[in-house]
Amino acid sequence: MVDGASGRAARGARRGRAMARGARPVVSRRREIGDVSARSLLMTMLGEYMLPKGRPVWTSALVEALAMFGVEEKSARQALARTAAEGWLDSERMGRRVRWALTPPGRRLLTEGAQRIFDFGRRDQAWDGSWLVILVSVPETKRDLRHRVRTRLSWAGFGSPEPGVWVTPHATREPEALGVLKELGLAGDAMSFVASYGAVGSEAAMVSRAWDLSGVEEGYEVFVDEFTGLHPADDDAVLCAQSMLVHEWRRFPFLDPQLPPTLLPADWSGTKAAELFHRRHAEWSPVALRRWDELTSGHDAG
């Protein structure tokens, strides 16, 4: 289940009302993982605004942008330092000032991330009923390895209806699964099959054991509640709203296995959420990008 969904719903409603009034949402350094943090918000802004613009940005501009969400200057500078230490940003000192540019790996990371975010939710391929099945056994004693297998295959959209069994209706993901297993040193003993579901048991029951679709749907409903009816009052509020829209949406590719419609509950909330995301993003993007230009160019003169 999506962690803290009820709490996120309450916080989302408050933040939505604040953005609609033109107020600025607050981000505390003590926010728990899964909520908004300075570094994750910075990564959202780098991908949404800095990547398409392709020009360096001064520290003061990035600090001001994060301050719109209540991020303290110390936290903003720490987020910049951590992002640079991980190889995604380069700094250039000019006198007493520093400006930041994306590194080639940073551009690749954010470009791939943007493609995944904006392609996500577009179900335009028919399913032929085939399942990719991966059998991989990891001893109970190797708990860290078991956790890494679960994390990596879950991110790739696989579900596990039984220990050691991983399934997905997307047979094209076999190379990705093979890459994960090779990296973890498990490919030699693993097995894979592509087949249709047989007459024993229920395909629907297998799906319910493999994925927590109710938790994913609850997350979608929180997203829809937060951004439906949200009408930012000014350009700053649009920049905040657009940033939070992308920030919240980017979680779903890691939560939703993108099952074919025939395997999903009726009136699946993910469909409505995807339509809302793409509609709001197109609506807010011109104003948000213009406000970002104004904010960052305003620091060019020092």
Side-chain angles (χ1 to χ4, degrees):
M1 179 171 290
V2 177
D3 293 338
S6 59
R8 290 176 62 83
R11 289 191 295 271
R14 289 196 297 270
R15 186 166 62 226
R17 290 193 294 270
M19 286 189 289
R21 294 194 304 268
R24 296 175 180 177
V26 175
V27 178
S28 166
R29 285 177 298 174
R30 293 189 293 271
R31 279 282 182 85
E32 60 189 9
I33 294 174
D35 213 350
V36 181
S37 70
R39 185 185 172 281
S40 61
L41 186 56
L42 172 64
M43 292 299 289
T44 296
M45 289 184 161
L46 295 180
E48 182 66 14
Y49 309 117
M50 193 169 173
L51 177 66
K53 292 299 180 181
R55 65 183 183 90
V57 177
W58 296 105
T59 300
S60 56
L62 292 170
V63 168
E64 182 179 345
L66 289 169
M68 297 175 71
F69 294 86
V71 177
E72 298 172 6
E73 181 176 350
K74 180 180 179 180
S75 296
R77 291 181 179 275
Q78 288 174 342
L80 281 167
R82 285 182 58 196
T83 305
E86 291 171 358
W88 313 131
L89 284 174
D90 264 340
S91 62
E92 178 185 12
R93 180 169 292 278
M94 302 183 69
R96 300 180 62 183
R97 305 179 70 205
V98 175
R99 64 180 185 177
W100 302 86
L102 293 171
T103 62
R107 285 194 297 272
R108 286 195 298 271
L109 173 76
L110 293 174
T111 299
E112 291 170 1
Q115 182 175 355
R116 184 165 189 171
I117 287 170
F118 293 109
D119 287 348
F120 182 74
R122 301 184 186 276
R123 294 184 177 88
D124 53 4
Q125 292 185 345
W127 181 50
D128 64 1
S130 296
W131 288 91
L132 170 62
V133 182
I134 303 289
L135 304 181
V136 54
S137 179
V138 182
E140 283 279 357
T141 54
K142 297 184 177 181
R143 293 185 178 180
D144 180 64
L145 182 58
R146 287 169 66 91
H147 174 72
R148 292 172 69 190
V149 170
R150 176 169 293 277
T151 299
R152 296 290 301 278
L153 290 181
S154 295
W155 281 0
F158 286 78
S160 180
E162 298 291 341
V165 180
W166 292 88
V167 299
T168 176
H170 305 291
T172 56
R173 293 181 182 173
E174 187 173 28
E176 184 175 1
L178 178 59
V180 169
L181 297 175
K182 283 183 176 179
E183 184 179 329
L184 298 178
L186 297 169
D189 295 323
M191 293 178 281
S192 66
F193 306 88
V194 176
S196 58
Y197 196 88
V200 178
S202 162
E203 191 171 48
M206 181 189 72
V207 169
S208 68
R209 290 203 301 268
W211 292 280
D212 179 18
L213 293 182
S214 62
V216 176
E217 186 160 41
E218 188 175 359
Y220 277 133
E221 289 169 355
V222 171
F223 180 87
V224 171
D225 287 344
E226 181 168 350
F227 292 101
T228 296
L230 179 59
H231 302 289
D234 56 29
D235 288 2
D236 278 357
V238 171
L239 180 65
C240 288
Q242 180 81 328
S243 301
M244 292 311 305
L245 180 81
V246 175
H247 189 82
E248 294 296 325
W249 184 250
R250 79 180 202 185
R251 299 181 304 116
F252 289 111
F254 300 103
L255 298 174
D256 184 351
Q258 287 287 275
L259 301 180
T262 56
L263 300 175
L264 293 171
D267 300 321
W268 176 243
S269 297
T271 303
K272 184 177 181 180
E275 292 171 352
L276 175 64
F277 169 76
H278 291 292
R279 184 171 69 253
R280 283 286 187 257
H281 190 272
E283 175 187 346
W284 291 337
S285 186
V287 175
L289 286 169
R290 184 180 70 235
R291 181 65 188 107
W292 177 264
D293 275 343
E294 293 170 352
L295 189 155
T296 54
S297 62
H299 291 255
D300 287 344

